[in-house]
Amino acid sequence: MLSRAAESLYWIGRYLERAESVARLVDVNLHLTLDSATDIGDQWEPLIDTVGSRKLFAARYPTPTRDSVMRFLTFDAENPDSIMACVHRARENARCVRDTISSEMWEQANRFYTFLCDSMGSDYALINSFEFYTEVKMAARLFDGLTDATMSHGDAWCFLRLGTMIERADTTSRILDVKYFMLLPAWLGVGGAVDTIQWAALLKSASAMEMYRKHYKSITPAKVADFLTLNTEFPRAVRFCLGQAAMVLGRLCESTPGSTPSEPEIRLRDLVHELSSLPIENIIEQGLHEFLDGLQQKLNGFHAAVTTMFFPQCSAEQAENPPCVQ
């Protein structure tokens, strides 16, 4: 298939996964502020750090209030990681590959974008926040389901799936990194009401609470980090996502026994091996923040290798700055 079409499919997966992740973060934060009977401090500023947009936010808004953060992460066209910006770019990429995706996928991308445009022109998102962000999450999940159910699982599907899995792994690592840093003072006070609420919110940010409870009875920082980083069955755990990415990448590269693996395959293989060989105790002892920061850098390196191999028309600057591509 054409390199430009493959690139569009890859970014459809990344952008829609990013839009859903932002909606989930805001939604969890809204519930957290309502459910917390105790003062647990400012809950809105860390969301800006999670998406890595502190400088941009500071240049556009005076303080990180509920309304300013919600507007910045949802509708701000100048924020490349806002829900509106991500869905708009996903729709534009989908328009470029209408002959490759199914009509159901294209219609859902249009419905998603139209819903956001209608909401932006009213106060619906601020007045009915819980309903709004639930609809955003369901719209993204419906597109994901239609992709699996109505699109042939060939190369085009593999590129879309690869983008989704890499974006999901990166998002989970960022959520865990920022929340861990924010909750670090509570590490020795594990078990308190505020501590439990915060770590439970972290799990909910990754839609992981119910599945976590099936593995562990109590919520502790080490167990949460283990589940979100190293679990091989939960679909938002970093290790699971990279395993899925390796599977579709293998299909795209079609390496045969004895042939030389491509650079993306080597990078992804090394990442999966690292996660498979390190117990969470060793990671925490070495420093969870340092480990996750290194993981994010390696994911960026993998993205750059994928870009060089499959999308050679991209500039080097674009390859090193995923949120700004297309």
Side-chain angles (χ1 to χ4, degrees):
M1 65 186 306
L2 293 176
S3 174
R4 175 59 69 180
E7 183 186 15
S8 291
L9 290 159
Y10 175 79
W11 280 105
I12 291 172
R14 294 205 69 156
Y15 282 134
L16 289 182
E17 180 64 29
R18 192 175 303 172
E20 187 202 345
S21 297
V22 172
R24 199 175 335 107
L25 282 170
V26 177
D27 185 48
V28 168
N29 229 46
L30 287 167
H31 282 89
L32 182 60
T33 57
L34 287 181
D35 295 341
S36 303
T38 331
D39 180 16
I40 53 177
D42 177 28
Q43 292 303 301
W44 292 101
E45 188 172 3
L47 267 65
I48 304 301
D49 292 326
T50 300
V51 298
S53 302
R54 177 178 284 273
K55 289 184 179 179
L56 179 60
F57 179 87
R60 295 181 57 73
Y61 300 89
T63 54
T65 63
R66 172 187 181 273
D67 287 359
S68 65
V69 172
M70 287 176 61
R71 189 172 301 279
F72 178 73
L73 293 179
T74 306
F75 295 121
D76 195 327
E78 298 300 318
N79 174 18
D81 294 317
S82 71
I83 295 172
M84 174 61 85
C86 288
V87 174
H88 171 69
R89 291 178 180 180
R91 178 182 176 274
E92 287 303 301
N93 278 291
R95 182 177 57 81
C96 295
V97 291
R98 285 188 61 179
D99 60 337
T100 302
I101 63 176
S102 68
S103 58
E104 290 89 348
M105 293 166 65
W106 169 242
E107 290 166 4
Q108 175 56 20
N110 269 326
R111 280 194 294 267
F112 196 176
Y113 180 66
T114 301
F115 164 70
L116 290 175
C117 289
D118 292 343
S119 300
M120 185 171 61
S122 67
D123 292 328
Y124 176 64
L126 291 176
I127 298 173
N128 303 286
S129 302
F130 297 108
E131 292 84 355
F132 171 78
Y133 289 105
T134 296
E135 289 188 55
V136 170
K137 290 185 291 181
M138 293 308 296
R141 291 169 184 170
L142 178 55
F143 185 92
D144 196 37
L146 287 170
T147 298
D148 273 349
T150 66
M151 187 178 184
S152 297
H153 287 203
D155 286 353
W157 177 87
C158 285
F159 277 112
L160 204 156
R161 181 71 172 171
L162 180 63
T164 299
M165 289 297 103
I166 293 304
E167 184 68 31
R168 188 175 295 178
D170 181 71
T171 298
T172 298
S173 70
R174 289 180 184 277
I175 291 172
L176 180 58
D177 191 19
V178 172
K179 287 288 187 179
Y180 169 82
F181 181 81
M182 186 178 71
L183 298 176
L184 188 59
W187 185 276
L188 298 178
V190 172
V194 173
D195 181 79
T196 301
I197 289 172
Q198 288 277 24
W199 286 102
L202 191 158
L203 289 167
K204 291 176 182 177
S205 296
S207 298
M209 174 60 84
E210 292 179 347
M211 294 302 105
Y212 175 89
R213 286 295 194 186
K214 293 182 182 298
H215 286 76
Y216 303 108
K217 293 182 179 179
S218 61
I219 296 178
T220 69
K223 290 176 181 177
V224 171
D226 180 60
F227 187 75
L228 293 181
T229 306
L230 304 180
N231 191 276
T232 58
E233 298 177 350
F234 181 63
R236 294 190 180 277
V238 174
R239 185 174 169 190
F240 177 91
C241 292
L242 295 184
Q244 292 291 302
M247 180 184 70
V248 295
L249 181 64
R251 289 176 56 181
L252 289 169
C253 294
E254 294 183 344
S255 296
T256 56
S259 64
T260 303
S262 64
E263 183 180 354
E265 287 179 292
I266 293 172
R267 286 177 177 269
L268 195 53
R269 181 192 62 195
D270 291 346
L271 261 176
V272 172
H273 175 73
E274 181 179 5
L275 290 174
S276 303
S277 60
L278 279 176
I280 194 62
E281 293 80 10
N282 288 12
I283 293 175
I284 292 175
E285 183 179 352
Q286 296 171 11
L288 183 59
H289 167 70
E290 289 75 14
F291 174 80
L292 293 173
D293 187 58
L295 174 64
Q296 290 156 21
Q297 292 180 24
K298 291 172 184 175
L299 286 173
N300 285 339
F302 170 75
H303 163 78
V306 167
T307 297
T308 300
M309 179 174 179
F310 293 110
F311 324 133
Q313 76 278 4
C314 270
S315 68
E317 179 181 357
Q318 287 177 324
E320 292 299 330
N321 295 276
C324 300
V325 175
Q326 292 199 327

